[in-house]
């Protein structure tokens, strides 16, 4: 028993010293994106309603692709397959592959968006989606590599901090980039077309420089298939968001907190998935009921009340700054959030463990699947909380 207590103390200390700060930083980053969404939600719903259908998919896609990339980098670093340097050729190669993996699913999402309501300049909206994807992927790819390598060089477990920061940075960049391209389209079509041309040429240049081979892309066909399928599955979140966007906006605080809530659930799940994947690859988990993963989950669970309270605090602050209103503390959110996060973590561990038992690499499958499912669970959760706040 004393051994377990000592081990738990160490994990709780790591959760508060490493994971919690990264979760808080990612929460702040997510609220920045949420500020854009809360401010422009009515405009998007009015002028580009189809975009609300594909928005969760685009947000989730960043976490899926680059969260998986962070987990893969972490495993490669521990196994000695990647030099801890941004100059390693594998960094650029993985970045280009991630960009290519992102483009086809978002194009499919755009096609669904057209079917569901994008009628105003559908071709331009395609370029909004493609252009923002290339730009965000380029920034997020190097950010992912930097965070993972920096943590590893500082002898900090990348699995504890990379996934939350990468997923939240994806949320931070996705919503403002999408809105920026929409505003650019409305204000200066020449600049809009020119910007997209530059980004497409840059992508082609990077493909040539990185010398990505067809065989390397085929190695990730499993990941690509899963990401595309999950992008389509994310339409559940999209249709839910579109249907209940008025209810979420009426709750005030949730309109700003929506991206942060989704990303925080995904972050908790991704941390557990990344830790589980690394531990499984290193042979540190003997069976499903091994002690270590459940100690990890319990340690992270102890941080969830703080995150739930911070979501309330940040939401109230931003609502006051942006709208001049003072919404009440959402006690329904504060009390239920920890248990929703616990469910996500247990779900994440279970998925990661059984995928590994089926000889499927969790780095390629678990994180994308968990990120996507967390968005679905999170969207339904936000709608239920909004119903409790607003009624109806």
């Amino acid at each position: 028993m004393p051994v377990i207590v000592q081990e738990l103390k160490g994990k709780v200390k790591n959760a508060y010293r490493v994971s919690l700060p990264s979760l808080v930083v990612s929460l702040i980053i997510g609220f920045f994106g949420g500020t854009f969404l809360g401010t422009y939600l009515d405009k998007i719903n009015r002028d580009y309603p189809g975009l609300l259908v594909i928005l969760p998919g685009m947000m989730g896609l960043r976490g899926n692709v680059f969260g998986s990339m962070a987990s893969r980098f972490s495993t490669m670093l521990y196994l000695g397959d990647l030099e801890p340097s941004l100059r390693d050729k594998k960094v650029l190669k993985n970045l280009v592959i991630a960009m290519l993996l992102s483009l086809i699913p978002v194009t499919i999402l755009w096609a669904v968006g057209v079917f569901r309501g994008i009628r105003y300049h559908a071709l331009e909206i395609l370029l909004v989606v493609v252009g923002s994807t290339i730009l965000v992927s380029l920034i997020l790819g190097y950010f992912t590599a930097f965070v993972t390598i920096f943590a590893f060089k500082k002898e900090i477990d990348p699995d504890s901090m990379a996934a939350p920061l990468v997923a939240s940075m994806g949320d931070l960049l996705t919503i403002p980039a999408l809105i920026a391209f929409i505003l650019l389209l409305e204000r200066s079509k020449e600049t809009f077309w020119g910007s997209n041309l530059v980004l497409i040429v840059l992508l082609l240049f990077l493909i040539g420089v990185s010398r990505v081979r067809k065989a390397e892309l085929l190695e990730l066909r499993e990941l690509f298939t899963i990401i595309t399928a999950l992008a389509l599955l994310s339409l559940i979140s999209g249709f839910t968001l579109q249907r209940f966007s008025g209810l979420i906006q009426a709750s005030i605080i949730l309109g700003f907190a929506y991206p942060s809530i989704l990303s925080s659930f995904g972050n908790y799940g991704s941390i557990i998935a990344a830790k589980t994947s690394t531990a499984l690859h290193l042979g540190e988990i003997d069976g499903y009921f091994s002690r270590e993963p459940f100690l990890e989950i319990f340690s992270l669970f102890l941080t969830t009340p703080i995150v739930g309270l911070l979501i309330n605090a940040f939401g109230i602050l931003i609502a006051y700054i942006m709208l001049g209103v003072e919404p009440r503390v959402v006690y329904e959110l504060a009390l239920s959030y920890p248990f929703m996060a616990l469910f996500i973590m247990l779900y994440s561990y279970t998925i990661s463990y059984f995928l590994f038992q089926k000889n499927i690499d969790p780095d390629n499958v678990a994180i994308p699947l968990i990120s996507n499912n967390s968005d679905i669970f999170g969207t339904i959760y936000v709608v239920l909380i909004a119903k409790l706040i607003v009624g109806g």
Side-chain angles (χ1 to χ4, degrees):
M1 185 66 68
V3 175
I4 297 178
V5 172
Q6 285 299 115
E7 189 176 350
L8 179 60
K9 284 182 178 180
K11 291 186 180 300
V12 171
K13 184 178 180 180
N14 181 74
Y16 272 84
R17 291 184 60 183
V18 179
S19 297
L20 183 59
S22 65
L23 287 164
V24 172
V25 170
S26 67
L27 202 65
I28 295 171
I29 292 173
F31 265 102
F32 184 82
T35 301
F36 276 84
L37 180 61
T39 303
Y40 289 96
L41 184 60
D42 183 61
K43 175 180 176 58
I44 295 174
N45 194 34
R46 183 183 66 250
D47 299 336
Y48 308 95
L51 281 177
L52 285 179
V53 175
I54 68 175
L55 180 59
M58 291 187 66
M59 291 170 60
L61 186 65
R62 309 289 188 253
N64 291 344
V65 173
F66 293 97
S68 179
M69 179 177 165
S71 182
R72 192 162 56 251
F73 277 165
S74 178
T75 302
M76 290 169 67
L77 286 165
Y78 278 115
L79 296 176
D81 294 335
L82 177 69
E83 291 294 324
S85 171
L86 291 176
R87 296 181 180 180
D88 191 307
K89 293 180 180 179
K90 293 179 182 178
V91 171
L92 177 59
K93 188 167 290 189
N94 275 272
L95 168 61
V96 171
I97 290 173
M99 293 173 76
L100 294 174
L101 284 174
S102 300
L103 284 171
I104 295 179
V106 298
T107 304
I108 295 173
L109 287 172
W110 164 81
V112 175
V114 169
F115 178 75
R116 289 292 302 181
I118 297 178
R119 295 289 181 266
Y120 174 68
H121 296 315
L123 178 59
E124 283 84 349
I125 295 301
L126 173 61
L127 288 176
V128 166
V129 172
V130 170
S132 63
T133 296
I134 294 173
L135 179 62
V136 170
S137 296
L138 181 62
I139 299 171
L140 191 56
Y142 274 109
F143 177 79
T144 301
F146 171 77
V147 169
T148 309
I149 292 172
F150 177 80
F152 183 80
K153 291 173 73 173
K154 294 295 182 180
E155 298 183 351
I156 300 172
D157 183 9
D159 292 333
S160 296
M161 62 178 294
L165 292 177
V166 168
S168 295
M169 181 60 76
D171 292 344
L172 166 66
L173 296 173
T174 297
I175 298 174
L178 197 65
I179 292 172
F181 272 82
I182 289 173
L183 295 178
L184 188 62
L185 168 65
E186 293 181 347
R187 295 175 184 177
S188 176
K189 289 188 177 181
E190 293 79 11
T191 306
F192 171 78
W193 283 90
S195 300
N196 276 280
L197 179 60
V198 169
L199 288 169
I200 292 172
V201 170
L202 176 60
L203 173 62
L204 295 174
F205 172 75
L206 291 176
I207 292 173
V209 171
S210 65
R211 297 180 180 179
V212 176
R213 298 190 303 272
K214 182 179 179 181
E216 292 172 315
L217 289 173
L218 291 176
E219 288 178 2
L220 294 175
R221 61 182 178 274
E222 181 184 75
L223 175 60
F224 169 75
T225 302
I226 290 168
I227 285 174
T228 302
L230 292 177
L232 293 174
L233 186 60
S234 70
L235 292 172
I236 296 174
S237 301
F239 292 137
T240 304
L241 176 61
Q242 183 185 44
R243 179 179 177 182
F244 294 101
S245 60
L247 179 67
I248 294 173
Q249 191 172 22
S251 70
I252 302 177
I253 189 173
L254 295 178
F256 294 104
Y258 175 76
S260 289
I261 293 173
L262 263 61
S263 66
S264 66
F265 286 148
N267 290 341
Y268 276 112
S270 295
I271 289 174
I272 293 300
K275 283 180 172 290
T276 303
S277 178
T278 300
L280 287 167
H281 279 102
L282 296 175
E284 295 175 353
I285 296 179
D286 298 326
Y288 178 79
F289 291 104
S290 293
R291 182 175 66 196
E292 172 141 348
F294 287 95
L295 291 178
E296 292 282 4
I297 291 171
F298 182 72
S299 300
L300 283 170
F301 173 70
L302 295 178
T303 68
T304 57
I306 297 174
V307 175
L309 290 173
L310 287 176
I311 289 174
N312 263 290
F314 291 150
I316 291 171
L317 177 63
I318 293 175
Y320 178 76
I321 294 173
M322 300 301 297
L323 303 177
V325 298
E326 297 184 26
R328 69 173 178 86
V329 174
V330 184
Y331 293 105
E332 299 90 339
L333 172 66
L335 294 174
S336 62
Y337 178 88
F339 298 99
M340 188 66 187
L342 177 62
F343 165 74
I344 296 291
M345 288 189 283
L346 290 170
Y347 177 78
S348 175
Y349 169 66
T350 302
I351 292 293
S352 301
Y353 179 83
F354 285 106
L355 283 174
F356 189 82
Q357 299 306 308
K358 297 296 183 181
N359 296 317
I360 300 174
D361 189 352
D363 285 337
N364 290 339
V365 180
I367 290 181
L369 179 61
I370 290 155
S371 177
N372 173 273
N373 290 179
S374 296
D375 286 350
I376 296 174
F377 296 143
T379 299
I380 295 172
Y381 172 78
V382 167
V383 170
L384 291 176
I385 297 297
K387 281 180 173 289
L388 290 175
I389 297 172
V390 179

